[in-house]
Amino acid sequence: MKRKTIEDFKNKDKNKDKNKDKNKDKNKDNNKDKNNNNNNNNNNNNNKYKNYKLNSEIKSKTVRLVGISKESKVYPLKKALKIAKQLDVDLVEINPKATPTVCKAMNFKKFLYNLNKKKRTKNFNLILTKEIRLTSSTNSHDLSFKIENAKKFLRLKNKVKFYIFFKGRSIIYKYLGEKMLLKCIKLLSTLIKVEIPPKMDGKKMFIVLSPKTNTNESKKKQIKKKI
């Protein structure tokens, strides 16, 4: 049975892209978008594999094999390939710059799946910061509108940064700016914890607010642990 190479994985992805295109409606306007998407997909697939060589693609005569036991051992490439084949896994080059080259015996398909899964969870847990500008004399109507926007963002588990920029001589009245920022904290007190209280940065005064963790949920978790 022929051992897989990186090219096999690339070809598999290309075939998937082709099958997706066959199922889509054919029209001239969409064809341009499809071609662009296909090129992007192919580039992403190439980038995904470019750092790895596996099985017959590895050129080093001797390799340091890891992933079988706690200790790594140096083997001739042919023997390392034989060991990987016996374990029904791939021999993957993970550090070509080392002497000898470091290779790992592992299921490469499963490794790629876990790698993509980690990237997805990182993107999912990304916390954004919404910046909202105020003035020392922002009226109650505008303030309530901006507070409602802040609430929406905080409920999505993101942070909010309120700031006031002092122009020219207005910096003399920075205490009014602080008063305005403290008012924001008071209006949002049920939803937030203050990460950074009123602070000056040049001619700008700001606060950073992060969403308050659900105390009921944390209590439930603590009770479960005790049980």
Side-chain angles (χ1 to χ4, degrees):
M1 185 179 173
K2 189 185 174 184
R3 303 289 286 162
K4 286 183 180 179
T5 64
I6 290 294
E7 287 301 319
D8 295 325
F9 283 96
K10 285 181 183 177
N11 291 333
K12 194 175 179 181
D13 281 338
K14 283 178 184 176
N15 290 333
K16 280 183 184 177
D17 294 334
K18 284 178 184 177
N19 291 332
K20 283 180 186 176
D21 291 338
K22 284 178 185 177
N23 295 329
K24 289 181 182 177
D25 295 326
K26 292 180 181 179
N27 63 61
K28 289 179 182 179
D29 294 330
N30 288 338
N31 280 338
K32 289 180 181 178
D33 295 331
K34 284 178 193 175
N35 290 332
N36 290 332
N37 289 333
N38 286 337
N39 289 333
N40 289 334
N41 286 334
N42 288 334
N43 288 333
N44 289 335
N45 290 332
N46 290 334
N47 290 334
K48 184 166 68 175
Y49 304 124
K50 71 177 182 180
N51 295 326
Y52 304 101
K53 287 181 182 178
L54 64 150
N55 301 323
S56 61
E57 293 172 333
I58 301 166
K59 302 300 179 187
S60 302
K61 291 180 180 179
T62 57
V63 297
R64 184 175 293 279
L65 185 60
V66 297
I68 296 172
S69 60
K70 289 181 180 180
E71 293 182 4
S72 62
K73 289 185 179 180
V74 177
Y75 294 100
L77 178 61
K78 285 184 180 179
K79 190 172 181 182
L81 285 166
K82 191 177 179 180
I83 292 168
K85 192 174 182 180
Q86 286 170 350
L87 296 169
D88 196 25
V89 292
D90 299 299
L91 186 69
V92 184
E93 186 181 72
I94 57 172
N95 190 355
K97 292 180 181 179
T99 308
T101 299
V102 180
C103 294
K104 189 172 183 178
M106 62 177 168
N107 185 326
F108 189 65
K109 193 176 180 181
K110 190 176 179 181
F111 167 73
L112 286 178
Y113 173 78
N114 290 331
L115 202 66
N116 290 331
K117 194 176 178 182
K118 281 181 184 177
K119 285 178 184 176
R120 284 196 298 270
T121 51
K122 273 184 183 179
N123 292 334
F124 183 75
N125 294 327
L126 187 69
I127 296 171
L128 302 173
T129 302
K130 171 74 172 176
E131 291 195 357
I132 299 174
R133 184 170 182 170
L134 300 168
T135 65
S136 304
S137 56
T138 299
N139 62 51
S140 56
H141 179 266
D142 287 344
L143 182 62
S144 61
F145 176 75
K146 290 183 179 187
I147 290 293
E148 285 305 311
N149 276 343
K151 283 179 180 178
K152 288 175 186 176
F153 217 70
L154 288 162
R155 286 186 183 118
L156 293 170
K157 305 297 179 189
N158 292 310
K159 296 180 183 182
V160 174
K161 179 181 180 179
F162 286 99
Y163 71 94
I164 295 170
F165 185 79
F166 299 99
K167 290 181 180 178
R169 288 176 60 82
S170 66
I171 199 162
I172 299 168
Y173 307 103
K174 63 183 179 183
Y175 68 92
L176 292 173
E178 186 177 2
K179 193 176 176 182
M180 181 62 71
L181 294 175
L182 290 171
K183 191 176 181 180
C184 292
I185 292 171
K186 189 177 179 181
L187 290 169
L188 293 165
S189 58
T190 55
L191 290 173
I192 56 100
K193 59 180 180 182
V194 181
E195 194 167 299
I196 300 175
K199 184 181 178 181
M200 286 298 295
D201 180 20
K203 290 187 176 183
K204 187 190 288 185
M205 184 183 283
F206 69 94
I207 53 172
V208 177
L209 311 174
S210 56
K212 191 183 281 185
T213 52
N214 194 330
T215 51
N216 291 330
E217 283 184 12
S218 59
K219 282 179 182 178
K220 283 178 184 178
K221 285 179 182 178
Q222 285 175 0
I223 291 164
K224 283 180 181 179
K225 284 179 181 178
K226 287 178 181 178
I227 293 166

